[in-house]
């Protein structure tokens, strides 16, 4: 759980979108009184098609840049702080050139750009700093402002951006209806679009962090709750797409073996995709022990599979301690296999700990043999290995 989920989302989101074009660092420290740059971007390549797909964000990526996204409207103090980071970074570049005995070319400095991303900006604030609207011939469009050229400071008032595909990736960092509208537009992207998939994963993480922060703020943030509700349909759509994709794959693969068998394979494939996506979104990268349970869990009847997802959704989010996840997965597999012969409460006390003590390789082998084993056989084998 992160204390500032929106800030974390903005950093990871920009890193994900910009990394194909160059080097991206988040939370980068600069010298002097240590100040942290939210996103530091250094272009290393120019992929025309990819840059074009990012629209306005792709145009921003033409030069090295400091990017400072604000969740709340930027204040005068916020702008001053960002400009100090820019000036310190310029000074650091000069010192580095001197240390490396390189001739420092002053002309290289203006290539470093500061971009301030704010959900809203009042006319009074913009005028007080002398932000100007670029000429139409410069091609920046509505909502983009600059200080005089020597400063290399740009400000994007996200709420003013036109509702076009070129601005969608930046409007995703706005607030309220602006952000929710961009999220809705994301659903129109192709299911196979990697940008769509990556953005969805980051949105799901944001949703989890917002929900996890609720206990510390019982009153809640109405806007955050609305954002969570806007993301929920995306998650449901993603699961449905995974289910349908698995069903189609299963039917195609099973045509030679009969339609019913193909449909069953499709159901299992769909549940496997759903389970993997769900576990990755909620708990991070799948560890080897978790992966051994994916196949048997995918074969569960739909009702039991759905109940398992509910159980998993109630577990605390922890990127390191997977023991609770392993316990739930193991219990689900064992209950499905032995529920007819022994209720869950009557399973041997040490059965699950002994099962999880196996290496992933041995556990995978044992799970493949599970349909042929009685409860006594399984208990005996695990006891022997534990002794």
């Amino acid at each position: 759980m992160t204390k500032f989920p929106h800030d974390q989302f903005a950093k990871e989101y920009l890193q994900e979108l910009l990394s194909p074009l160059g080097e991206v660092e988040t939370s980068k420290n600069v010298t002097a009184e240590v100040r942290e740059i939210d996103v530091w971007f250094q272009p290393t390549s120019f992929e025309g098609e990819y840059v074009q797909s990012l629209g306005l964000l792709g145009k921003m990526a033409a030069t090295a840049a400091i990017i400072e996204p604000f969740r709340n409207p930027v204040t005068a103090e916020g702008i001053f702080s960002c400009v100090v980071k820019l000036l310190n970074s310029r000074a650091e570049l000069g010192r580095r050139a001197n240390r490396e005995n390189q001739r420092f070319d002053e002309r290289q400095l203006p290539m470093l750009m500061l971009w301030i991303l704010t959900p809203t900006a009042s006319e009074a604030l913009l005028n007080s700093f002398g932000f100007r609207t670029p000429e139409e011939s410069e091609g920046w469009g509505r909502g983009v402002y600059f200080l005089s050229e020597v400063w290399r400071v740009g400000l994007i008032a996200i709420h003013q951006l036109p509702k076009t595909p070129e601005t969608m990736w930046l409007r995703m960092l706005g607030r309220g209806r602006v952000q929710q509208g961009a999220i809705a537009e994301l659903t129109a992207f192709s299911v196979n679009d990697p940008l769509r998939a990556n953005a969805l994963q980051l949105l799901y993480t944001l949703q989890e962090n917002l929900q996890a922060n609720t206990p510390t703020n019982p009153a809640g943030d109405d806007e955050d709750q609305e954002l969570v509700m806007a993301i929920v349909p995306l998650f449901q759509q993603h699961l449905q797409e995974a289910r349908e994709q698995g069903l189609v794959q299963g039917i195609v693969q099973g045509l030679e073996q009969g339609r019913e068998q193909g449909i069953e394979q499709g159901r299992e494939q769909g549940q496997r995709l759903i389970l993997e996506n769900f576990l990755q979104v909620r708990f991070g990268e799948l560890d080897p022990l978790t992966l051994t349970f994916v196949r048997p869990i995918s074969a569960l009847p739909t009702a039991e599979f759905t109940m398992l997802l509910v159980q998993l959704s109630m577990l605390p989010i922890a990127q390191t301690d997977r023991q609770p996840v392993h316990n739930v997965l193991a219990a689900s597999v064992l209950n499905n296999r032995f529920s007819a012969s022994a209720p869950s409460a009557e399973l041997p006390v040490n059965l699950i700990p002994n099962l999880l003590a196996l290496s992933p390789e041995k556990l995978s082998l044992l799970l493949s043999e599970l349909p042929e084993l009685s409860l006594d056989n399984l208990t005996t084998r695990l006891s022997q290995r534990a002794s």
Side-chain angles (χ1 to χ4, degrees), residues 142 162 346:
R142 182 161 52 89
E346 296 181 10

Short mmCIF file of all heavy atoms in Angstrom, two decimals, residues 142 162 346:
data_model
loop_
_atom_site.label_atom_id
_atom_site.label_comp_id
_atom_site.label_asym_id
_atom_site.label_seq_id
_atom_site.Cartn_x
_atom_site.Cartn_y
_atom_site.Cartn_z
N ARG A 142 -4.80 23.87 -27.41
CA ARG A 142 -5.38 24.45 -26.20
C ARG A 142 -4.94 23.70 -24.94
O ARG A 142 -4.81 22.49 -24.94
CB ARG A 142 -6.92 24.41 -26.33
CG ARG A 142 -7.68 25.03 -25.18
CD ARG A 142 -9.10 25.37 -25.62
NE ARG A 142 -9.76 24.22 -26.23
CZ ARG A 142 -10.47 23.32 -25.56
NH1 ARG A 142 -10.60 23.44 -24.26
NH2 ARG A 142 -11.04 22.31 -26.19
N PRO A 162 -8.35 19.63 -25.28
CA PRO A 162 -9.49 19.17 -26.08
C PRO A 162 -9.67 17.66 -25.94
O PRO A 162 -8.69 16.93 -25.76
CB PRO A 162 -9.11 19.56 -27.51
CG PRO A 162 -7.61 19.67 -27.49
CD PRO A 162 -7.25 20.15 -26.13
N GLU A 346 -12.42 -31.30 8.54
CA GLU A 346 -11.86 -32.57 8.96
C GLU A 346 -10.57 -32.92 8.23
O GLU A 346 -10.02 -34.00 8.43
CB GLU A 346 -12.90 -33.69 8.74
CG GLU A 346 -14.14 -33.52 9.61
CD GLU A 346 -15.15 -34.64 9.39
OE1 GLU A 346 -14.78 -35.63 8.72
OE2 GLU A 346 -16.26 -34.53 9.89
#
